[in-house]
Amino acid sequence: MAQALSPEPHSSARQSRPGWWRTARDFITSYPYLIPVLFFFVGWQLLPIVQSLRLSFTDDRFLDNQAPNWIGLDNYRTAIQQGLFWQGIKRALIFTAIFIPGMIFIPMIAAILVDRVTNNKVATVYRIILLIPSMIPAPLIFVLWVWMYDNYIGPINYFLVDRLGWFDLANAPLWLENNILIYFSIAFMEWWWGLGYHTMFFLAGLASIPRDLPDAARVDGAGEWRMFWGITIWRLLPIILVLTVVRFGSAMAVITEYIIMQGFDRNSSTYTWTMYMYDEAFRTGQQFRGYAAAIGWLGALFMLVVVAFLFYIFRSRD
Amino acid sequence: MTSLLVGPSGSQETQHAMASPRLPVLPSLRLVAKHSVLILLCSWVLAPLVWVVLHSVKAGPFKYFERAWPKEFQDPLWANYRWLWQDATLENPFYRSLSHSAVITLLTVFSTAVAAVLAGYALSHLSTPGSRVILGILVASMFFPTQVTALTGLFKIQYRLGLIDRPWSLFFPYTAMMVAVSVFVMRGVFQAVPKEIVDAARIDGAGSLRTLVGILLPMVRNGIVVVLILSFNLAWGEYLLASTLVNRRDNWTLAVLLGQGIGVAPGSAALLVVAMVPALIAFGIAQHWFLRGLQDGALRG
């Protein structure tokens, strides 16, 4: 935090020239370094967003070669009246609510435990093992877990059916077919995937707690439990809040998981607003890119409102 | 690789539990509890990976219904892997996808690293007018669902540029997606370099570029490793754009080939393992610097 708030770097040689002169000179000496970043970021991040905003006010259809017409807010009006859009938002919210607690508290517990491992080598081994899934690219994870949840080759149902005998093949849980279970199945996979990476954040937070603080508390007779609620949780709170906001953003906008693990089934719980947008833009009918862009922007605006709200709540606590 | 990692951790851990003279009897119980929870978490992490490797060497008539330890193994064990590698021509979909993925990944990793190093330097050690605005926009882009919202616009732009179905061109959007995070990592690492070192180089008459290349670059190595690994990870595995901006089967990347439903055969598991291995090797080689780099740069602030 302190780093982020540190003052602007100042040039080493102060000149007696007027301010604009120095600004112009700084501009010439520093901006060449920013050209690559600006090239990529403006060209393939900012422009696409602006472009899709522009598209959302037109009736652009990819498959007929007519020039798109400006139709104002019609796309937005249609989307808001569509049950599918709101259902998509609702489904995304349910998934997010299930996903976030596990994505924060499991890594937090792991970090607190790793932080207490006194042998440095052992602690490093734990860190590396926990980080392994985070190093595997996204679709490989999803395909792997489709197999894990599979009723025929999947090891999860092997344990439940063959080992524990809780189910038989006829009533074994279908992790990805059941509309309620699938939220948990995908969330569980995401926890597995993000465990190590998020543990790193909490470890960085724990490292910032001065060592003598817990020691002093221990001398005063505070138990582990009281130390956690008295010291540790408050030191970790900023990280918890930031991760909540960041993970809210990624969980609401999940799409690749759903495409690979479930496909475009309008009755599935995974048919969220992102899937609806993709479906309209690239798969169904005339490929209504204008309408899809409007769905994308509506979803984004909805998310921004929630994020602003979260920031507001979290800020007032500090 | 996985079993190698588990082995030493187990043995060292018991040694450690025995050889801690400071702790009386009761905390040692606590020590056991701590390590057993951690070992449980680690086995949760490793189990699916072990399982997929086992699945990739299964054989026999029931290989599609065997759900744990294989009853029959392939003979030789790597038969499914050999099956992938034979017919080493571009007619083989596996090879074609692999070569597309390799090209895209190299381009992305290179351009992201160069862009992030230069910008991180400018935003930490040069007086850059408007640096706060740039940083603010980069932060904002991380809180905005860019990938989904930009998709339609991105298709339009690539279409106008004639880059649809040109797999190499995916490195433009990939680099753009990585820029925000990478710049923050590099800026954090550069800020850890004392100002005096930069000033001293200046006084010796080195220009800003020579200061960067000659003096600072070796000092920010950990951050560069983080950027390399993160961008490798994205480019090697990105699915959404790779399946949207590329239509023809011939141009699929490895991620799309895997994601488009490859069935559950052991041969597919071998393909998955082959796709995972480069990422794990890269991490294995770089983990030392990666952990340092995360601590230095990525996790600050």
Side-chain angles (χ1 to χ4, degrees):
Chain A
M1 276 318 206
Q3 285 293 337
L5 295 175
S6 66
E8 292 275 287
H10 14 216
S11 63
S12 43
R14 294 256 161 214
Q15 302 256 335
S16 53
R17 310 251 188 175
W20 66 265
W21 170 264
R22 216 168 52 222
T23 310
R25 202 205 49 193
D26 285 345
F27 189 86
I28 291 167
T29 51
S30 64
Y31 268 71
Y33 290 97
L34 292 172
I35 287 172
V37 156
L38 294 177
F39 170 74
F40 287 107
F41 188 78
V42 172
W44 282 273
Q45 198 87 319
L46 277 188
L47 275 185
I49 293 176
V50 174
Q51 179 76 271
S52 69
L53 182 63
R54 212 177 56 84
L55 272 177
S56 72
F57 297 116
T58 68
D59 63 353
D60 188 280
R61 283 159 298 191
F62 181 62
L63 289 187
D64 59 11
N65 280 321
Q66 286 167 14
N69 305 305
W70 189 267
I71 55 168
L73 288 169
D74 276 7
N75 286 327
Y76 289 89
R77 217 167 285 139
T78 319
I80 285 174
Q81 284 160 2
Q82 276 284 332
L84 261 180
F85 172 73
W86 290 110
Q87 197 173 29
I89 293 278
K90 197 184 91 190
R91 285 163 170 168
L93 279 173
I94 295 174
F95 172 72
T96 307
I98 294 170
F99 160 79
I100 285 183
M103 194 73 273
I104 288 180
F105 290 109
I106 301 174
M108 190 173 86
I109 293 166
I112 289 174
L113 293 176
V114 171
D115 190 55
R116 278 142 177 270
V117 175
T118 36
N119 184 324
N120 264 335
K121 275 191 182 148
V122 178
T124 308
V125 170
Y126 280 133
R127 279 172 199 232
I128 291 172
I129 293 180
L130 294 178
L131 258 179
I132 286 175
S134 306
M135 293 303 125
I136 302 173
L140 313 185
I141 300 285
F142 310 149
V143 174
L144 171 61
W145 278 86
V146 167
W147 295 343
M148 297 296 291
Y149 289 127
D150 192 278
N151 197 26
Y152 295 103
I153 63 160
I156 291 175
N157 273 5
Y158 165 79
F159 273 104
L160 295 180
V161 176
D162 298 14
R163 277 292 143 116
L164 298 173
W166 291 356
F167 303 95
D168 55 47
L169 265 184
N171 67 3
L174 298 172
W175 299 101
L176 297 179
E177 282 79 6
N178 184 306
N179 264 342
I180 294 168
L181 271 185
I182 191 169
Y183 290 124
F184 292 91
S185 309
I186 295 182
F188 188 75
M189 173 192 78
E190 302 277 357
W191 298 337
W192 179 83
W193 192 25
L195 173 61
Y197 193 63
H198 290 79
T199 303
M200 293 296 136
F201 283 90
F202 284 111
L203 279 171
L206 289 170
S208 75
I209 301 179
R211 278 292 152 192
D212 45 347
L213 207 61
D215 287 347
R218 202 168 281 143
V219 169
D220 290 348
E224 291 288 327
W225 197 245
R226 274 202 50 207
M227 268 170 41
F228 175 75
W229 288 110
I231 301 171
T232 318
I233 191 87
W234 297 106
R235 291 294 180 135
L236 294 182
L237 196 62
I239 302 177
I240 295 177
L241 300 185
V242 169
L243 284 183
T244 304
V245 175
V246 172
R247 284 304 147 230
F248 173 83
S250 53
M252 282 296 287
V254 161
I255 180 165
T256 312
E257 284 85 331
Y258 299 154
I259 294 179
I260 290 179
M261 300 182 85
Q262 196 68 354
F264 292 88
D265 171 8
R266 292 198 170 194
N267 295 316
S268 165
S269 304
T270 58
Y271 198 83
T272 61
W273 66 277
T274 55
M275 294 289 274
Y276 183 38
M277 186 218 84
Y278 194 92
D279 214 6
E280 290 289 347
F282 299 104
R283 291 171 44 86
T284 51
Q286 299 257 299
Q287 303 198 348
F288 295 103
R289 298 284 161 83
Y291 180 53
I295 298 172
W297 264 95
L298 271 179
L301 289 176
F302 179 84
M303 285 173 60
L304 285 182
V305 169
V306 179
V307 165
F309 178 69
L310 288 176
F311 268 127
Y312 175 75
I313 307 178
F314 293 162
R315 190 138 303 172
S316 64
R317 288 262 167 86
D318 291 346
Chain B
M1 174 175 174
T2 48
S3 63
L4 278 176
L5 281 172
V6 181
S9 97
S11 62
Q12 277 180 8
E13 189 261 326
T14 42
Q15 276 172 15
H16 167 62
M18 288 172 187
S20 44
R22 266 192 321 123
L23 298 162
V25 182
L26 194 68
S28 88
L29 193 76
R30 200 178 269 160
L31 200 74
V32 171
K34 174 173 75 186
H35 282 286
S36 42
V37 173
L38 281 173
I39 289 172
L40 196 75
L41 284 172
C42 287
S43 0
W44 176 41
V45 159
L46 293 176
L49 303 172
V50 174
W51 177 84
V52 75
V53 172
L54 280 178
H55 186 56
S56 73
V57 296
K58 264 183 213 166
F62 298 111
K63 59 190 176 211
Y64 297 111
F65 300 99
E66 268 170 21
R67 300 189 282 192
W69 192 262
K71 288 206 180 60
E72 268 182 72
F73 288 94
Q74 287 281 355
D75 180 40
L77 209 54
W78 52 89
N80 285 326
Y81 294 90
R82 205 175 50 189
W83 171 74
L84 283 177
W85 290 102
Q86 65 183 238
D87 181 26
T89 60
L90 288 182
E91 300 300 307
N92 181 338
F94 166 64
Y95 261 97
R96 231 172 18 224
S97 305
L98 194 67
S99 61
H100 289 315
S101 285
V103 170
I104 297 167
T105 305
L106 281 177
L107 286 170
T108 308
V109 165
F110 180 74
S111 56
T112 308
V114 170
V117 166
L118 293 178
Y121 175 57
L123 293 172
S124 57
H125 286 293
L126 299 178
S127 51
T128 308
S131 61
R132 283 183 179 222
V133 178
I134 294 173
L135 288 170
I137 293 174
L138 290 179
V139 171
S141 81
M142 292 199 251
F143 288 101
F144 190 84
T146 319
Q147 207 195 359
V148 174
T149 309
L151 197 56
T152 44
L154 186 58
F155 189 97
K156 191 124 209 162
I157 286 173
Q158 296 289 76
Y159 190 74
R160 291 249 176 84
L161 293 171
L163 293 177
I164 298 296
D165 255 320
R166 301 246 186 280
W168 62 267
S169 73
L170 285 169
F171 94 95
F172 290 119
Y174 288 175
T175 305
M177 283 159 79
M178 289 309 301
V179 151
V181 176
S182 310
V183 167
F184 274 94
V185 171
M186 287 318 297
R187 180 167 166 269
V189 183
F190 272 116
Q191 276 176 337
V193 176
K195 200 102 208 150
E196 293 75 38
I197 294 181
V198 183
D199 288 347
R202 284 293 176 69
I203 290 164
D204 289 349
S208 60
L209 188 64
R210 260 191 59 202
T211 313
L212 171 64
V213 175
I215 295 162
L216 294 179
L217 218 47
M219 303 179 80
V220 296
R221 188 185 52 198
N222 298 342
I224 296 176
V225 170
V226 173
V227 170
L228 290 179
I229 294 227
L230 293 181
S231 53
F232 173 91
N233 209 319
L234 176 94
W236 189 250
E238 206 282 338
Y239 177 86
L240 189 67
L241 298 183
S243 63
T244 307
L245 302 177
V246 162
N247 296 315
R248 288 180 48 219
R249 232 161 216 280
D250 292 356
N251 294 331
W252 279 357
T253 62
L254 204 53
V256 180
L257 183 72
L258 276 161
Q260 295 276 5
I262 50 168
V264 296
S268 310
L271 176 58
L272 189 80
V273 172
V274 169
M276 271 196 280
V277 160
L280 291 179
I281 289 179
F283 175 58
I285 295 171
Q287 47 87 8
H288 178 74
W289 300 286
F290 184 76
L291 291 180
R292 295 274 177 83
L294 274 185
Q295 274 154 18
D296 294 350
L299 305 179
R300 272 159 192 270

